[in-house]
């Protein structure tokens, strides 16, 4: 069981660091959702099913939906897509 806890802790730390480094806002929201799901698994291991359910429902469910809707509302998803397309076209021009 100790190995599983260490693996989950490693994934938890990786999600925390990656979400702060990632520039794509949608990817950051999805990483945050995975952070909440991993935290929910940790609560299950710690034998706290009420906290695990709350973390899964609020952290991974409701918060993710609200953040994605906010990104859509402020047109951040289109901006990220345009930025990504510019990077790809610039990279394609470099390769030629």
């Amino acid at each position: 069981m100790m190995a599983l806890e260490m693996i989950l802790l490693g994934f938890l730390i990786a999600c925390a660091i990656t979400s702060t480094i990632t520039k794509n806002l949608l990817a950051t929201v999805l990483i945050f959702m995975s952070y909440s799901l991993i935290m929910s698994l940790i609560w299950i291991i710690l034998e706290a099913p009420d906290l695990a359910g709350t973390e899964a429902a609020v952290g991974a469910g409701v918060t993710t939906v609200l953040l994605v809707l906010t990104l859509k509302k402020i047109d951040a998803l289109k901006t990220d897509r345009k930025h990504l397309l510019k990077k790809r076209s610039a990279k394609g021009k470099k390769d030629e």
Side-chain angles (χ1 to χ4, degrees):
M1 192 60 126
M2 187 71 159
L4 177 63
E5 293 170 2
M6 289 298 149
I7 291 170
L8 287 175
L9 181 62
F11 280 130
L12 197 68
I13 292 170
C15 285
I17 293 170
T18 307
S19 67
T20 60
I21 295 172
T22 306
K23 294 185 193 280
N24 186 345
L25 295 176
L26 183 60
T28 303
V29 170
L30 294 177
I31 293 167
F32 180 72
M33 179 188 68
S34 62
Y35 177 90
S36 293
L37 288 174
I38 293 169
M39 198 63 215
S40 178
L41 291 174
I42 291 173
W43 286 121
I44 289 173
I45 290 172
L46 293 173
E47 297 177 2
D50 53 340
L51 291 174
T54 303
E55 183 71 34
V58 175
V62 176
T63 305
T64 302
V65 170
L66 290 174
L67 288 173
V68 169
L69 289 175
T70 302
L71 291 177
K72 186 176 179 184
K73 189 86 166 176
I74 64 171
D75 288 333
L77 298 177
K78 291 179 184 175
T79 306
D80 280 348
R81 186 177 298 142
K82 288 178 185 176
H83 180 69
L84 181 64
L85 290 174
K86 281 183 183 178
K87 278 179 100 174
R88 285 185 182 170
S89 65
K91 185 179 176 183
K93 289 179 182 176
K94 280 184 181 178
D95 292 339
E96 292 176 359

